[in-house]
Amino acid sequence: MTRRQFYTGVISLAVAGVIFILPFVFVLLTAVKTKQDAALLTFSWPVEWHFLDNLTEVLRTRNYMLLLAYFNSTVITVCSVTLLVLFGAMVGYVLQRRPSGWNKVIYAFVLAGLMIPPAVVPTIWILQSVGLFKTLTGMVFIQVAYGLAFSVLLFRSFIATIPRDLDEAAIIDGAKPWQIFFRVILPLLKPVTVTVIVVQSISIFNDFTNPLYYLPGRENVTVQLTLYNFQGQFQTQFNLLFMNILLVTIPPLIVFVFFNRQIVAGMTAGAVKG
Amino acid sequence: MIVQKSPYPYWFVMPAAVVFSVLFLAPTLASLWFSLTRWDLFSAQFIGLENYRQFLREPFLIQGLINTVIYAFATSATKSVFGLLLAVLLTSGIWAQGFLRAVIFFPVLVSTIGVGITFSVLMHPTNGVINVALSAIGIPGPGWLTDPALALYSIILVDFWKGLGLATLIYIAGLASISPDYYEAARIDGATRTQMFFRVTVPLVRPATVTVVTLSLIGGLRSFDLIWAMTRGGPGFSSDVLASVIYKQYQAGFYGLSTAGNVILFLLIGLIILPMTAWFNRKEVDL
Amino acid sequence: MAKVVLENIRKSFGSLDVIKGIDLAVEDGEFCVFVGPSGCGKSTLLRMISGLETSSDGRMLIGDRDVTHAEPSQRGIAMVFQSYALYPHLTVRDNIGFGLSLAGRPKAEIAAKVEKTAETLQLTHLLDRKPKALSGGQRQRVAIGRAIIRDPKVFLFDEPLSNLDAALRSQMRMELTDLHARLGATMIYVTHDQVEAMTMADKIVVLNAGRVEQVGSPMELYNRPASPFVAGFIGSPKMNLYEGAIAAAEGCTTYGIRPEHLSMSTSEGKWKGTIRHIERLGADTVLYLDQPDLMSIVVRVPGDAELALRQEIFVTPVPGKEHRF
């Protein structure tokens, strides 16, 4: 490393520190302040550290709403990501392995899924008519419908790297179609599956708009909705509001620390190929 | 002709197809009809293009349309320009390069609502950290989110802050796919650093540019969370975009009008993205 | 053990005919090699026998049973792929036992059969490794093991040696020949390499553009090629083939003479030529001559022949070794 590279690095880190790290430090500091201290909105060391007090108070708010929200968000995320992996891999597999006139249609739908904003009110109307409006099940299927396109694309391009000889060897070994998929292909999809899980989990966990529309009602609250609700309620209790932001930021941070590589792989998929 | 059963049966596609059709395709198609009605979820009364006419008559709805376009192009342009510059910086072997990449990328993963709330506090006109810091060096800070002329641009700035990491990351992947041979050849031909950037990097990183521009345009046109968390479209309607208008009309019970907004947003995305993709693909052939 | 019979087998992809009507019988216990240039349809034909490709027309029998419409797993065949197609996520043990496991056989039975197969192929010490940790030759053997354990009537090999280096390839040629002798099974082997065909086959089927050009034992094909195509394909260096005036003078449309069937002399002979290029192979030396009438002749002479570039020499065909088509 040259001196120039070293100093450029130091300066860049200083600038990035102010722009990208300080806002998070501000969240952390405000979250542990007292109510009066936090209300000043200043970037300052807390007069008193109230980490545990604020934590328990946030959790207790509105009859442990935040815990319920974490539960709901977890259920939605786990269920929809499971289905997204399974469905995405199955569609990507057939799409890649079986060229036919249908493929163009499926591709058109995939692109539409990536591009078109969901038609909200008609969706509510359909959810209502099948009895899934305001239900976690309905929310899970919504997330699956909206996340499919991305999953299919990732799986399809990964499956293209698995030699077809393997399928044929399995056919000769007497495998049925579902056995080829579940016993030969699916185990080989591990790297891309991890990527899909990580990227989709984060986006579903962070999703605000869709629960806002499709999951109204107290008992269905999700983590992002609590932030939105508390924003109104805690106008004067910034310490609690920021404690909530802190809590919502921690899951992605943990995922980021452990799965940085998979996130990068997923987010940049297609960037090189175009 | 003998038909053999394919080892890749179409029923593999069925579960996904059912969910996608019922919850995405069907509502999208239905929206075309319901946008032509006065609708309360139970009965729909056909009123022709009245909803669309109203959209183009009401100044605040037009404002939303214009804001959407400004928002999408401003975020897309800034992210692609600064994303590329940052990517070049972060692949040049500087000190703490990996850590810097992580720092810039992390906001992408954080809750948009959380970011929105945090910045609306930081941007508080009198007590906010940003304006306190500015006044400390003698600059009177503006009312970032309270000045109607400025609110939309303040949100754009935060969107840029949150999304820059993704653009940078995509550009880094794009840069990694350029063979170092080109740079060595250019050096032998006597190219300066600036020449190399404009004549080698920019043209060869095109696929990444296409991805960044397309993704951020689509994202920008559909943007809702951040705006809703920071201003709820205010002050007045000054930072309303189509997505927030759709939500407001929905809340107010104007389901037909809300759905018309959806169709307009859908058409707007198509009108911008499809010609652009076609243009990008055509230029690709010349390369 | 079984005989394989193809009757008027055809295959077309849309309007493109890839296999244009093939009649062939592979006898029980025979080692039969399909050979031909790339694109001649040899791999397609093998895949049709395996059932991975359907036939557009015709009938196919394996051991007197009509298998034209049978599923691959119901045909009593096993196949070794060019890439070996070992399942990367399974150990050698599970790779070999995969077919039995799919069939839902008891674990103990699978384990016993896998052990036995591994022993025959000297794979016992590798059973718990993944394919990634094996050498090319070992992977090859695992692929064969996966075929053997199915106890097939017919083994199918699709260019199985093309991913190996030269030394390993000749070793595997011997191992496969041994295996054939030991199992006595019918084997059908596809290759583009005429050396593999000559060294291993009981019967060679030369394919060209979707048709059978000639069927015969290696030496039959070498001594009595039925067409200029076969003549040019079997034997290395290639047979010298001439058309036009020279062929007419010999009373045929194509005249051929193998490089090793030309005798050389410095004083007299049928044709006089100038040495343009010399390839020293050690035991043999291959000469490329410029000759005014024939344009170019390739001659194979003993390795120790003392010759120089631009030297003029005479060559004469060995009587009875000329080919006229």
Side-chain angles (χ1 to χ4, degrees):
Chain A
M1 193 180 303
T2 60
R3 280 170 67 108
R4 188 194 158 116
Q5 282 172 319
F6 177 75
Y7 287 117
T8 316
V10 172
I11 294 166
S12 310
L13 193 59
V15 175
V18 171
I19 297 177
F20 290 99
I21 300 179
L22 281 192
F24 290 105
V25 177
F26 179 76
V27 171
L28 182 67
L29 291 179
T30 310
V32 299
K33 286 178 178 176
T34 60
K35 184 179 160 188
Q36 294 77 10
D37 196 1
L40 298 175
L41 304 183
T42 53
F43 191 87
S44 59
W45 205 247
V47 182
E48 288 170 68
W49 283 68
H50 280 250
F51 180 77
L52 274 181
D53 297 346
N54 290 350
L55 181 65
T56 45
E57 204 176 334
V58 161
L59 291 182
R60 247 190 243 129
T61 304
R62 295 212 196 162
N63 199 13
Y64 294 98
M65 190 188 225
L66 197 55
L67 288 184
L68 177 67
Y70 263 95
F71 174 78
N72 288 342
S73 283
T74 310
V75 169
I76 292 169
T77 307
V78 169
C79 295
S80 36
V81 169
T82 309
L83 290 179
L84 275 171
V85 166
L86 212 55
F87 292 180
M90 285 162 81
V91 175
Y93 175 61
V94 174
L95 199 58
Q96 202 280 322
R97 286 294 202 250
R98 188 173 181 179
S100 78
W102 284 100
N103 284 14
K104 277 191 182 151
V105 180
I106 299 178
Y107 273 121
F109 285 153
V110 165
L111 287 183
L114 288 177
M115 235 175 69
I116 298 177
V120 187
V121 193
T123 309
I124 291 175
W125 176 65
I126 285 179
L127 282 174
Q128 263 183 348
S129 60
V130 294
L132 289 177
F133 186 51
K134 299 188 194 178
T135 65
L136 293 187
T137 318
M139 196 63 235
V140 166
F141 283 121
I142 287 284
Q143 297 291 11
V144 171
Y146 296 174
L148 255 179
F150 179 73
S151 298
V152 167
L153 282 187
L154 275 189
F155 276 114
R156 197 207 69 90
S157 59
F158 191 87
I159 289 168
T161 68
I162 297 178
R164 216 178 249 262
D165 284 1
L166 289 183
D167 313 7
E168 295 182 339
I171 293 172
I172 288 183
D173 275 341
K176 305 263 180 310
W178 60 271
Q179 285 174 316
I180 305 175
F181 179 74
F182 284 100
R183 295 193 55 174
V184 177
I185 302 297
L186 201 57
L188 296 175
L189 298 180
K190 215 163 108 191
V192 70
T193 303
V194 174
T195 299
V196 169
I197 291 176
V198 169
V199 172
Q200 297 279 24
S201 303
I202 289 184
S203 95
I204 293 172
F205 184 84
N206 279 342
D207 187 17
F208 166 72
T209 316
N210 296 313
L212 181 71
Y213 276 117
Y214 307 125
L215 265 187
R218 218 196 148 269
E219 68 283 5
N220 291 325
V221 73
T222 69
V223 171
Q224 305 302 323
L225 287 178
T226 60
L227 267 183
Y228 173 68
N229 292 337
F230 291 176
Q231 190 186 8
Q233 188 185 359
F234 291 156
Q235 236 7 298
T236 54
Q237 289 171 288
F238 283 104
N239 52 344
L240 299 188
L241 186 59
F242 278 79
M243 177 55 83
N244 195 356
I245 294 177
L246 187 66
L247 290 177
V248 168
T249 310
I250 286 170
L253 180 64
I254 294 171
V255 174
F256 180 56
V257 168
F258 287 103
F259 296 100
N260 191 5
R261 210 167 46 83
Q262 283 82 5
I263 296 175
V264 170
M267 298 271 187
T268 56
V272 180
K273 192 172 62 65
Chain B
M1 194 61 193
I2 298 136
V3 183
Q4 197 184 25
K5 265 203 295 189
S6 169
Y8 312 111
Y10 279 125
W11 66 259
F12 270 41
V13 180
M14 288 319 290
V18 168
V19 174
F20 188 77
S21 309
V22 172
L23 293 181
F24 185 82
L25 286 183
T28 302
L29 292 177
S31 69
L32 297 177
W33 158 250
F34 285 120
S35 67
L36 303 175
T37 63
R38 187 171 291 122
W39 183 33
D40 60 5
L41 283 181
F42 299 103
S43 62
Q45 182 198 348
F46 183 75
I47 52 167
L49 292 173
E50 191 47 45
N51 287 325
Y52 294 97
R53 245 178 248 127
Q54 189 175 350
F55 233 101
L56 301 175
R57 223 172 22 225
E58 297 273 359
F60 75 93
L61 296 179
I62 296 174
Q63 175 83 51
L65 191 65
I66 295 167
N67 283 349
T68 307
V69 175
I70 293 175
Y71 190 95
F73 279 92
T75 50
S76 174
T78 47
K79 282 178 199 172
S80 45
V81 171
F82 287 93
L84 177 56
L85 293 176
L86 261 180
V88 170
L89 178 73
L90 293 180
T91 49
S92 65
I94 59 166
W95 182 73
Q97 183 169 287
F99 181 69
L100 270 168
R101 285 186 195 183
V103 164
I104 292 170
F105 182 68
F106 183 62
V108 174
L109 304 177
V110 175
S111 148
T112 309
I113 301 300
V115 168
I117 295 172
T118 306
F119 272 91
S120 54
V121 169
L122 290 174
M123 286 176 165
H124 191 277
T126 49
N127 301 333
V129 171
I130 294 176
N131 280 358
V132 169
L134 285 178
S135 66
I137 53 171
I139 304 172
W144 297 99
L145 300 172
T146 46
D147 180 349
L150 203 58
L152 183 71
Y153 296 94
S154 301
I155 304 171
I156 288 173
L157 196 66
V158 177
D159 190 314
F160 168 68
W161 178 89
K162 187 176 183 327
L164 180 62
L166 182 57
T168 309
L169 197 70
I170 292 172
Y171 271 119
I172 288 175
L175 291 178
S177 72
I178 301 177
S179 159
D181 293 356
Y182 293 114
Y183 293 98
E184 287 172 359
R187 248 169 68 191
I188 289 168
D189 287 341
T192 63
R193 276 166 164 272
T194 325
Q195 282 173 323
M196 275 198 233
F197 177 76
F198 284 106
R199 305 240 186 141
V200 180
T201 307
V202 173
L204 289 181
V205 84
R206 251 186 76 95
T209 309
V210 173
T211 309
V212 169
V213 170
T214 316
L215 277 184
S216 45
L217 268 182
I218 294 176
L221 290 167
R222 290 167 62 164
S223 186
F224 172 71
D225 313 20
L226 190 64
I227 294 160
W228 200 249
M230 291 184 75
T231 62
R232 307 260 198 286
F237 306 106
S238 63
S239 63
D240 255 329
V241 292
L242 276 176
S244 64
V245 168
I246 293 169
Y247 183 65
K248 283 179 176 172
Q249 301 306 327
Y250 160 72
Q251 270 189 317
F254 300 125
Y255 296 142
L257 191 59
S258 171
T259 305
N262 238 313
V263 175
I264 290 175
L265 178 56
F266 160 48
L267 291 177
L268 186 67
I269 292 179
L271 280 176
I272 292 174
I273 301 297
L274 290 181
M276 202 187 69
T277 321
W279 183 70
F280 274 138
N281 287 341
R282 202 188 53 213
K283 273 197 81 179
E284 199 102 46
V285 182
D286 311 339
L287 262 171
Chain C
M1 307 306 117
K3 182 175 171 176
V4 177
V5 179
L6 310 185
E7 287 171 7
N8 191 29
I9 286 292
R10 286 170 193 278
K11 176 77 182 174
S12 34
F13 294 110
S15 60
L16 182 70
D17 294 330
V18 189
I19 301 290
K20 298 165 184 164
I22 286 184
D23 292 289
L24 181 70
V26 180
E27 300 302 329
D28 184 11
E30 205 167 37
F31 197 115
C32 174
V33 174
F34 294 173
V35 69
S38 62
C40 69
K42 56 188 190 297
S43 279
T44 309
L45 189 60
L46 188 79
R47 290 167 58 82
M48 287 163 73
I49 297 173
S50 75
L52 290 172
E53 299 279 357
T54 53
S55 320
S56 308
D57 195 9
R59 213 160 80 94
M60 193 181 294
L61 303 166
I62 295 179
D64 298 327
R65 193 164 76 89
D66 188 329
V67 295
T68 318
H69 305 293
E71 293 287 322
S73 55
Q74 307 300 320
R75 293 183 176 212
I77 52 104
M79 186 155 164
V80 175
F81 290 81
Q82 182 174 2
S83 64
Y84 317 140
L86 302 181
Y87 309 116
H89 59 298
L90 301 180
T91 59
V92 170
R93 186 189 305 280
D94 293 340
N95 260 285
I96 296 177
F98 189 69
L100 296 175
S101 152
L102 287 177
R105 306 294 273 278
K107 286 221 168 71
E109 182 198 328
I110 298 176
K113 279 200 171 175
V114 170
E115 284 298 333
K116 192 165 151 267
T117 310
E119 255 167 56
T120 359
L121 294 165
Q122 288 140 33
L123 286 168
T124 312
H125 61 296
L126 302 173
L127 276 177
D128 292 312
R129 292 209 197 158
K130 292 268 178 77
K132 223 188 302 173
L134 301 178
S135 70
Q138 290 167 337
R139 287 179 201 187
Q140 175 74 74
R141 263 190 248 136
V142 176
I144 293 171
R146 196 170 60 184
I148 289 179
I149 201 168
R150 294 175 56 76
D151 199 12
K153 298 183 205 144
V154 182
F155 284 83
L156 307 175
F157 295 92
D158 188 6
E159 308 216 18
L161 303 187
S162 54
N163 288 339
L164 303 176
D165 62 40
L168 200 51
R169 205 178 300 171
S170 81
Q171 187 201 327
M172 287 310 296
R173 282 207 300 263
M174 275 191 293
E175 282 189 26
L176 281 174
T177 314
D178 283 350
L179 186 76
H180 177 237
R182 223 167 44 222
L183 299 174
T186 313
M187 293 189 173
I188 301 178
Y189 187 106
V190 161
T191 181
H192 62 272
D193 180 355
Q194 56 100 14
V195 177
E196 280 177 27
M198 293 294 285
T199 51
M200 298 165 78
D202 297 323
K203 177 192 275 175
I204 297 180
V205 178
V206 182
L207 290 164
N208 182 27
R211 285 204 173 82
V212 174
E213 197 78 28
Q214 190 176 0
V215 180
S217 73
M219 288 317 284
E220 272 168 18
L221 297 192
Y222 179 78
N223 290 326
R224 291 188 297 282
S227 64
F229 179 84
V230 177
F233 198 79
I234 302 287
S236 172
K238 261 181 76 160
M239 183 189 285
N240 295 293
L241 290 167
Y242 304 103
E243 293 174 342
I246 295 135
E250 300 288 340
C252 56
T253 45
T254 306
Y255 170 80
I257 181 73
R258 293 194 185 277
E260 54 270 42
H261 294 150
L262 285 163
S263 60
M264 182 193 74
S265 158
T266 47
S267 51
E268 55 171 11
K270 187 169 181 180
W271 295 303
K272 187 173 127 186
T274 316
I275 300 179
R276 170 165 44 93
H277 182 65
I278 305 177
E279 276 179 4
R280 300 257 180 213
L281 301 176
D284 296 321
T285 294
V286 179
L287 305 177
Y288 295 80
L289 307 185
D290 284 331
Q291 208 279 337
D293 298 326
L294 307 177
M295 302 303 287
S296 176
I297 322 176
V298 182
V299 188
R300 182 183 210 150
V301 297
D304 50 8
E306 288 192 12
L307 296 157
L309 280 178
R310 312 249 161 266
Q311 191 182 338
E312 295 201 328
I313 57 164
F314 294 88
V315 291
T316 308
V318 174
K321 297 289 187 186
E322 292 157 295
H323 300 274
R324 294 182 174 85
F325 304 104

